[in-house]
Amino acid sequence: MKKFIILISILTISAFQSCKKEDSPGDNYDFSNSIAPYVTIEALEDIEVAAGDVVDVTLQMRTSLQQSVTATYKVTGIINTPSATVVFPAEETEASASLTIPVNAAVGSTAVFTLVSAKTADGKSLTIGQNANSAQQTFTIEVVQ
């Protein structure tokens, strides 16, 4: 008799639980991707270099994509590159750009690196910066020696 009462209790609890499926814990997880993919400069701190140095700039994406992404940047000042690109291969979250400081650069001269835009291989524009503030995606390179 005790086994029969336990069996009836288990069946009753199961029946009531299954009636409220929309309220059931575990069925309402949100796996949607609510933050759009974005591209940033890994380190935004200003840097000091010597004339003739090579500066490697690492760009990062929030998430890897199944297609390549082309990021466009510009450099103004002692290095004048109005438009250059770096390509993130498919499934990669980092890409690098190399800048060579001119050997004859004067002490105190600067160059400003700015991330301008990013597009996927199929033409979709990506957000620049984590907070969609592209004005913050810049840093200065200063020649100190």
Side-chain angles (χ1 to χ4, degrees), residues 42-121:
E42 180 182 49
L44 293 172
E45 296 84 25
D46 295 345
I47 59 173
E48 298 177 344
V49 297
D53 282 356
V54 175
V55 177
D56 290 323
V57 180
T58 302
L59 303 180
Q60 295 179 322
M61 286 197 319
R62 172 186 171 270
T63 185
S64 63
L65 299 176
Q66 295 179 347
Q67 58 184 313
S68 63
V69 173
T70 302
T72 303
Y73 65 90
K74 70 178 179 177
V75 185
T76 56
I78 58 171
I79 303 170
N80 190 17
T81 309
S83 180
T85 60
V86 170
V87 176
F88 291 85
E91 302 294 334
E92 294 293 325
T93 59
E94 287 190 355
S96 293
S98 291
L99 308 172
T100 302
I101 306 301
V103 177
N104 60 350
V107 173
S109 55
T110 61
V112 177
F113 183 97
T114 305
L115 184 57
V116 177
S117 65
K119 287 190 180 221
T120 60

Side-chain angles (χ1 to χ4, degrees), residues 26-39:
D27 291 343
N28 54 0
Y29 296 117
D30 181 15
F31 290 107
S32 65
N33 194 359
S34 57
I35 299 176
Y38 59 84
V39 178

